[in-house]
Amino acid sequence: MKIAIDGPAGSGKSTVAKRLARELGYQYIDTGAMYRALTAYFLDRDITNETDIEPLLVTLNMDIIPGGIRINDTDLTFQLRTERIDEHVSYYSSLKSIRDWAVKRQREIASQMDVVMDGRDIGTVVYPDAELKFYLKADPNERAKRRALERNEIDNYAEILLDILRRDQLDSNRTHSPLSQADDAIVVDTTKLTIEQVVRFMKDHWDEKTAKTTV
Ligand code: DC
């Protein structure tokens, strides 16, 4: 089964997706980390134009390693959650050639497996036929607080909030695969919910789904 979890930055996607995958014994795939790794790879080489990026994509091998990502044998894990990547990832992930490459790789990795995949376009583009789709949302102030706590940077709350609002705007308004809610997604407002409550809610839907399909 494919379970798609989409939503904006800080909505709690990756935390709940990881836990849900663990509970169900499914593979967890963090597609945001893939866009982050591509951003790190090209930024490190000062490559910003899509015309320069496109021919290089065929030379890339991306491997998902425990807790991180490697591209062509370079481990980019330690860079993924840095401010530098936060700043540039919306630009790189808006490029059509990058999206086409990443979506293809996501489908390759997930084929033949039960997965929980989180991102912005999983239920709409990557797996429009996913059996279960969730769309998580939360108040921006709460999302910024979570990010700040997660990174142990509570003093940077105001900047983190601005970055979240900026990325919401860019990710929702880009031409190719913008952040959007699939019509058949189950919407969860996580503002006032604990991680456990969200995971339980999702698990209940999974139970219901699998009970129906096994009858
Ligand atoms: O979930 P995240 O904050 O790690 O994602 C980083 C960026 O990657 C986000 O600003 C938008 C982009 N992204 C995307 O465009 N499509 C996805 N499926 C996942 C992430």
Side-chain angles (χ1 to χ4, degrees), residues 9 13 31-33 35-36 81 89-90 93 99 119-122 147 167 171 174:
K13 296 183 310 282
T31 63
Y35 289 101
R36 287 173 180 274
R81 311 266 152 211
V89 66
S90 286
S93 60
R99 298 213 73 81
R120 304 292 190 285
D121 58 343
I122 312 306
R147 270 282 144 97
R167 283 205 287 138
D171 296 343
R174 67 183 177 221

Side-chain angles (χ1 to χ4, degrees), residues 13-32:
K13 296 183 310 282
S14 48
T15 311
V16 297
K18 243 179 256 165
R19 293 218 192 171
L20 183 68
R22 201 171 52 214
E23 278 200 24
L24 301 179
Y26 284 17
Q27 181 70 39
Y28 164 59
I29 299 172
D30 175 355
T31 63

